[in-house]
Amino acid sequence: MKPFRKADFHCDVLWKLLEDPTLSFIRDDQNKLDVTLPRLKHAGATFQTFAIYVPERMEKTMAPILQIIDLFYRKVLVSPEMTFIRTGSDIEALERKPGAIGAMLSLEGADGLQGDPAMLRILFRLGVRAAGLTWNHANWAADGALEARGGGLTKKGRAIVEECNRLGILLDVSHLCDRAFWDMLNVSSRPIIASHSNCRSHCPHPRNLSDDQIKALLAQGGLIGVTYVPQFVSAGVSAGIADVLRHIERICEFGGERQLMFGSDFDGIERYVDGLTHPGELHRLQDALLARYPETLVKAFFERNAMAFLAMHLPRG
């Protein structure tokens, strides 16, 4: 069967391009990247979010963030097949461009903003359209999922949430600790997303969402991106596609079939779900889903849910 159109809300290829300047996104000749243009095309991709992740070893300033954005412009957007997504109108126009793949920037960890809303506004002008306040640890804005203290949003964190709402930057809760998650839900006036998180009831990892969190996020109109990170998929020594399906089923049990998407975390992982090591293998997940769900719903999981959300909630342009 021909691959369905696919949207993915999280990959870390920009981090790898930062670490190794010899790598190429537009070629597929070194097998050192999970996400490349040829693999996206083979998968039937129509949209990919590119995370701006600053490695722990680097300074927490704007400098590495800007270096990564520069790489996005020079190594991703250099391909005429990649279309920069900044507005709802861009999403609608993408539908009229056969073969085009939308590319959106997301900030994974706001450490480098150092609490200054002006830095956020600069990133918005450069095209950043989604933001998670933390990675796994604590910073000036909030505590991350692996921070033992488990603190909520700080005063500056709340101010950044409000500025994201005003600008039209989507807020991502995937790396927040539980208390910060609930603070975000209460402070944000717009629907939030979990770009790459699974169900804690099926895999008790702190990066996953509890049933109550999933229900609350869905009730607010947000999206959940099921991820292929093995340790978020299964508590066992390995994870397979059947384990991914269990998380999808759980979200659907809560009425989330029209608010479910995928956030692979490709290029941000060293281990893989069996049979899902790069976008070119997503046909296996597609086949497994079609064995359980109608075609229209599988297409919604893979693309339509995410695209409809973006068309509605990105700034108009």
Side-chain angles (χ1 to χ4, degrees):
M1 176 179 287
K2 182 179 178 181
F4 293 165
R5 294 158 61 95
K6 296 182 177 69
D8 178 25
F9 234 91
H10 191 89
C11 81
D12 281 302
V13 68
L14 295 180
W15 163 63
K16 285 189 176 177
L17 294 176
L18 178 70
E19 296 280 279
D20 186 350
T22 68
L23 296 178
S24 171
F25 167 78
I26 62 173
R27 297 194 309 271
D28 197 15
D29 58 359
Q30 73 288 103
N31 207 31
K32 294 180 181 179
L33 297 177
D34 301 335
V35 177
T36 62
L37 179 58
R39 283 177 170 173
L40 289 177
K41 291 167 64 176
H42 179 73
T46 57
F47 175 85
Q48 178 68 60
T49 296
F50 292 81
I52 303 167
Y53 166 70
V54 177
E56 291 289 280
R57 62 175 178 79
M58 300 188 74
E59 61 180 346
K60 303 305 180 184
T61 67
M62 283 288 285
I65 293 175
L66 295 176
Q67 290 168 3
I68 293 169
I69 293 175
D70 176 63
L71 284 169
F72 174 74
Y73 276 83
R74 292 190 296 110
K75 293 201 168 188
V76 175
L77 294 184
V78 68
S79 168
E81 294 166 287
M82 302 302 297
T83 298
F84 202 1
I85 299 298
R86 288 163 289 191
T87 68
S89 299
D90 290 337
I91 291 291
E92 293 163 2
L94 194 64
E95 302 283 339
R96 302 188 293 271
K97 297 179 182 178
I101 301 173
M104 191 177 82
L105 281 171
S106 176
L107 181 64
E108 186 175 31
D111 305 57
L113 305 185
Q114 297 184 345
D116 188 348
M119 299 301 103
L120 181 71
R121 290 189 287 271
I122 289 170
L123 295 186
F124 178 80
R125 293 185 184 102
L126 292 173
V128 173
R129 291 297 182 268
L133 297 187
T134 69
W135 188 57
N136 286 329
H137 309 303
N139 61 16
W140 57 264
D143 280 9
L146 302 187
E147 190 69 38
R149 178 178 58 179
L153 298 185
T154 65
K155 182 178 179 180
K156 288 185 176 181
R158 289 170 181 266
I160 287 293
V161 167
E162 291 169 356
E163 187 66 355
C164 283
N165 284 168
R166 188 187 71 81
L167 291 169
I169 294 176
L170 305 175
L171 287 158
D172 185 354
V173 297
S174 274
H175 278 277
L176 291 178
C177 71
D178 286 0
R179 182 177 173 185
F181 169 96
W182 292 111
D183 282 353
M184 176 81 79
L185 207 72
N186 290 328
V187 173
S188 179
S189 60
R190 304 177 71 229
I192 61 177
I193 63 169
S195 64
H196 56 307
S197 295
N198 288 341
C199 305
R200 198 178 298 173
S201 58
H202 282 324
C203 180
H205 193 286
R207 273 279 286 100
N208 285 339
L209 300 176
S210 69
D211 286 353
D212 285 344
Q213 288 175 316
I214 293 170
K215 292 174 186 177
L217 190 152
L218 294 176
Q220 197 213 31
L223 288 183
I224 301 175
V226 171
T227 189
Y228 316 139
V229 182
Q231 57 267 39
F232 305 164
V233 172
S234 172
V237 294
S238 63
I241 290 175
D243 296 304
V244 176
L245 294 180
R246 293 172 66 226
H247 292 273
I248 294 169
E249 290 167 357
R250 187 62 170 172
I251 294 169
C252 289
E253 286 175 9
F254 298 134
E257 61 273 6
R258 295 296 174 180
Q259 294 167 261
L260 187 151
M261 60 180 182
F262 293 105
S264 68
D265 210 3
F266 283 141
D267 285 305
I269 51 179
E270 296 179 353
R271 295 192 300 115
Y272 300 88
V273 170
D274 294 340
L276 287 179
T277 64
H278 60 76
E281 295 184 341
L282 286 174
H283 63 91
R284 294 169 178 160
L285 178 58
Q286 176 179 312
D287 291 343
L289 285 168
L290 286 171
R292 300 187 180 211
Y293 298 98
E295 182 176 312
T296 54
L297 198 53
V298 175
K299 288 180 176 178
F301 294 163
F302 272 122
E303 192 216 27
R304 292 313 311 159
N305 291 345
M307 302 301 267
F309 184 89
L310 290 169
M312 178 179 296
H313 294 292
L314 284 180
R316 301 307 301 177

